[in-house]
Amino acid sequence: MDFALTEEQQLIQQVARDFAQQEIAPVAAKHDASGEFPRDTIVRAGELGFMGVEVPEAYGGSGLDTICYALVMEEIAAADAAHSTIVSVNNSLYNNGLLSYGTEQQKQRFVTPVASGKAIGCYGLTEPQSGSDAAAMRTRAVLSADGSHYVISGKKAWITSGPVADYMVMFAMTDPDKKAKGITAFILDAKQDGFIRGKTEPKLGIRASATCEIEFDNYRCPVENRLGKEGQGFAIAMDVLDAGRIGIAAQSVGIARAAYDASLQYARERKAFGAAIGSFEMIQHKLADMKCKLEAARLLTLQAAWKRHQAKHTQQRSTLEGSIAKLFASEAAMFCAHAAVQIHGGMGYSKELPIERYFRDAKITEIYEGTSEIQRMVIARLETGLR
Ligand code: CAA
């Protein structure tokens, strides 16, 4: 067993760290306050190859492995979680499904602009009445009489990057009687008629990552833009989420690290009762617990990324490892952000420092791409073989 990163992985980690600390960290508070989508830094991320880390160079990406993707996510999230959310949707949720299930023509047309950062992708699974119970979606896709296109009607909710997306990988019922087996995946072009964006959601955290509802009003999707076979959509959605959850685990590690690093520095510098607060046992306990959770979260995340990369060749699933990493790392991020606010006291509660932002941003990692409750359900089902 070798825990060392390869030279290539170290290099990409350093490039991502420099970019995140020099270009993202300085604008993070401004975008958090305004909620404005950080278009300029996202274009830069695209130029550096971070919008298509695992996408082959032939389709405009960097052609790197899943570990590199996790490293990039950690670095960007340590500077700003909102930026890393935008990066993760392009990489994990949009590109992944197309690369695994798309035709050559679909990859050329829909992956290349998104992987190079020239366009933004999004992923449409959740609906107003179906979040955790994803198979209960109501959006319908009906094949036209001449078989040339599907007519899609319905509404998706909580669509990350929805307000700015150029393309969407989305899921709709083609045969409601078959439930999960009646769901089909499609690639939609946001410029086309019938793709209607709702208002941008005001959110607790990751405020610069734009989120909205999208309504489909008789959207006509050419049959060649169906992704995979009819009825294969739910399996595609779940497979894509297996990859997505590793990205969210890495994002959580980045938030936990930022909260820990700031707390460590503050504990060394801040004096109370004539001593640095880091010399007090109660602060030391908090720092020790933060450090253990951070390190464990990173190891689980890199293990899941490694498994996912291997799985590309073995056709095995990485569902278990992804869910474990996402569950543990998101709870570690919340723990570390909570402890960081407490260690910083009043300054942790002030908007003058990024600590309160880490606290607000951390919460979403326990909710999106499958709540902690769903991760526990997935893990327990796989372990027991029972439902
Ligand atoms: N890979 C491939 N196939 C899978 C799979 C996986 N990981 N998980 C399930 N499947 C297949 C199953 O094998 C099954 O097929 P068979 O009958 O042929 O075996 C089929 O899919 C149905 O599976 P289940 O019976 O397990 O389905 P379920 O209805 O019980 O739901 C669930 C399972 C795990 C709860 C699932 O609904 C789930 O993950 N829910 C959470 C949804 C979620 O994460 N939403 C997040 C939205 S995206 C988001 O948050 C993006 C963002 O904004 C950033």
Side-chain angles (χ1 to χ4, degrees), residues 220-239:
R220 287 163 66 102
C221 179
V223 82
E224 60 269 22
N225 291 356
R226 187 185 70 217
L227 182 62
K229 300 191 194 88
E230 265 201 20
Q232 199 187 1
F234 194 71
I236 295 177
M238 293 297 116
D239 180 38

Side-chain angles (χ1 to χ4, degrees), residues 186-197:
F186 299 93
I187 314 156
L188 270 46
D189 184 336
K191 286 190 296 297
Q192 239 178 263
D193 287 348
F195 188 102
I196 304 160
R197 301 174 215 256

Side-chain angles (χ1 to χ4, degrees), residues 120-190:
I120 299 284
C122 68
Y123 175 85
L125 180 69
T126 300
E127 299 189 356
Q129 81 297 333
S130 62
S132 292
D133 186 6
M137 67 179 62
R138 289 188 196 146
T139 296
R140 285 280 276 126
V142 179
L143 189 61
S144 61
D146 64 0
S148 67
H149 62 274
Y150 290 86
V151 178
I152 302 179
S153 303
K155 194 188 267 185
K156 295 287 172 185
W158 292 105
I159 303 307
T160 302
S161 297
V164 293
D166 300 282
Y167 304 109
M168 174 189 244
V169 168
M170 66 83 74
F171 305 88
M173 275 289 179
T174 39
D175 190 345
D177 293 341
K178 291 189 180 158
K179 302 201 162 108
K181 293 263 187 312
I183 294 170
T184 302
F186 299 93
I187 314 156
L188 270 46
D189 184 336

Side-chain angles (χ1 to χ4, degrees), residues 296-307:
R298 185 183 285 121
L299 285 173
L300 286 171
T301 301
L302 292 177
Q303 174 186 256
W306 175 83
K307 179 73 190 278

Side-chain angles (χ1 to χ4, degrees), residues 126 132 160 181 238 242 245 317 319 369-370 381 387:
T126 300
S132 292
T160 302
K181 293 263 187 312
M238 293 297 116
D242 284 352
R245 288 168 184 166
R317 273 165 53 175
T319 311
E369 301 205 26
R381 278 184 179 181
R387 307 175 45 93

